[in-house]
Amino acid sequence: MPERLFVCTPSKLGSYTDCPRRYRYTYVDRPTPVKGPPWAHNSLGASVHTALRNWYALPEAKRRPEALPGLLKGTWVGEGYRDGDQERTAYRRALQWLESYVETLEPGVDPLGVERVVAVKTAVLAFNGRADRIDARTGPNGPELAIVDYKTGRTGLDVDDARGSQALALYAYAAERVFRRPCHRVELHHLPTGTVAAFDHTPESIARQVNRAEATARDIMAAERAVTDGADPDEAFPVAPGPGCAWCDFRRTCPGGVGAPVKDPWAAVERTLLPVTPTTPPVTPAAE
Ligand code: SF4
């Protein structure tokens, strides 16, 4: 019997890479173990992402900065904030980010895809994922695609983040096959600082990321098979305690998260709302 393909998204693969136990709690155990309360930084990120998606749904003539308050209010997620004051501050900051960001967009240019699902199969994976944006551009060799991912965390991102992102590489791999156009450019657009961290993949660097994703998928399938065959689920999906435990939804129920510092749901947003010092945009290096 041929081995079944592993159906996955970037977050499913990333979850296992970060912590096999978190993967099990999220994707295997049913009912899902009790999660902690919603995080305000997730609410802020979701609000900004949806506002940008809806920006592109407007007719070109209505894509004006005046439309942004309505878009942001319409998509605002208010969960996890400390209080109304903090939430209002976050809303104002998010609006500033959006106002600055849309200034940088080329008028009259529509992306090829906005929150577009791309799917592809390999020998091991049945991959699908939703890219924030897929741009159609003209490169030195003709038409090509670029994958754009919006970021709203406080820390500025650099070229290594763009280069190392398995999710972006898999989106590029899938988009190239779905649209039959070269796609090697991946970009992280950090709205709080207005910077772009970009990387131009080579076929080899994309292949390395696909190989890594396939290796992760094989590990996951082996762990799931072991449990089916009677292995202890706690051993098949071990805990991986680390700094991520403090931000893990399952910290309260997981033995690996016992010693992790307790973070308020608004802790990350509190840092994000501190004044930001603009940074110099990272330089794009030659292809890997
Ligand atoms: S608390 Fe830590 S060890 Fe436990 S599932 Fe979450 S990340 Fe993994």
Side-chain angles (χ1 to χ4, degrees):
M1 286 286 286
E3 182 112 49
R4 70 183 162 88
L5 296 182
F6 183 71
V7 179
C8 64
T9 59
S11 53
K12 197 170 175 184
L13 293 168
S15 171
Y16 184 86
T17 307
D18 290 346
C19 175
R21 181 64 59 85
R22 177 140 59 92
Y23 174 91
R24 192 189 102 197
Y25 289 152
T26 307
Y27 297 103
V28 181
D29 285 2
R30 293 295 177 267
T32 304
V34 177
K35 290 185 179 181
W39 298 97
H41 57 274
N42 287 343
S43 298
L44 182 57
S47 304
V48 169
H49 276 72
T50 317
L52 279 172
R53 182 194 69 196
N54 293 348
W55 167 265
Y56 282 110
L58 292 175
E60 164 64 23
K62 293 199 171 170
R63 282 183 218 154
R64 310 280 316 144
E66 306 83 81
L68 288 170
L71 291 179
L72 189 59
K73 271 193 198 115
T75 67
W76 188 253
V77 182
E79 293 177 326
Y81 291 98
R82 184 186 56 222
D83 52 31
D85 271 356
Q86 190 187 50
E87 188 181 341
R88 279 187 290 278
T89 306
Y91 171 84
R92 283 194 297 272
R93 188 65 64 82
L95 189 55
Q96 285 169 3
W97 297 344
L98 289 167
E99 285 167 349
S100 304
Y101 187 69
V102 300
E103 290 261 305
T104 67
L105 300 174
E106 220 176 306
V109 175
D110 272 323
L112 185 63
V114 175
E115 292 209 359
R116 168 69 199 248
V117 173
V118 284
V120 71
K121 288 180 182 170
T122 73
V124 179
L125 305 172
F127 169 84
N128 74 87
R130 190 181 297 273
D132 286 348
R133 210 171 84 203
I134 302 174
D135 286 357
R137 300 183 185 168
T138 305
N141 300 317
E144 61 179 33
L145 305 177
I147 303 294
V148 172
D149 196 41
Y150 305 128
K151 293 289 175 191
T152 57
R154 177 173 164 73
T155 313
L157 299 152
D158 62 21
V159 169
D160 288 339
D161 296 297
R163 181 198 347 241
S165 168
Q166 185 179 77
L168 291 184
L170 291 174
Y171 287 138
Y173 179 78
E176 182 162 312
R177 279 146 190 84
V178 169
F179 296 106
R180 297 175 195 280
R181 248 180 273 180
C183 183
H184 47 79
R185 176 87 169 177
V186 297
E187 296 181 350
L188 295 166
H189 291 204
H190 187 243
L191 274 75
T193 54
T195 56
V196 174
F199 182 69
D200 288 312
H201 275 288
T202 61
E204 292 75 25
S205 64
I206 294 266
R208 275 197 293 277
Q209 291 282 16
V210 172
N211 289 342
R212 274 181 213 137
E214 289 183 332
T216 302
R218 285 196 193 92
D219 289 345
I220 296 172
M221 288 192 285
E224 290 181 346
R225 235 184 349 258
V227 173
T228 305
D229 292 345
D232 179 350
D234 285 354
E235 283 178 17
F237 293 92
V239 295
C245 293
W247 305 100
C248 177
D249 284 334
F250 302 106
R251 185 185 60 75
R252 288 168 182 77
T253 43
C254 173
V258 169
V262 177
K263 299 279 187 190
D264 289 320
W266 55 85
V269 152
E270 200 159 48
R271 276 188 295 146
T272 301
L273 296 181
L274 293 171
V276 173
T277 311
T279 56
T280 309
V283 177
T284 307
E288 194 179 32

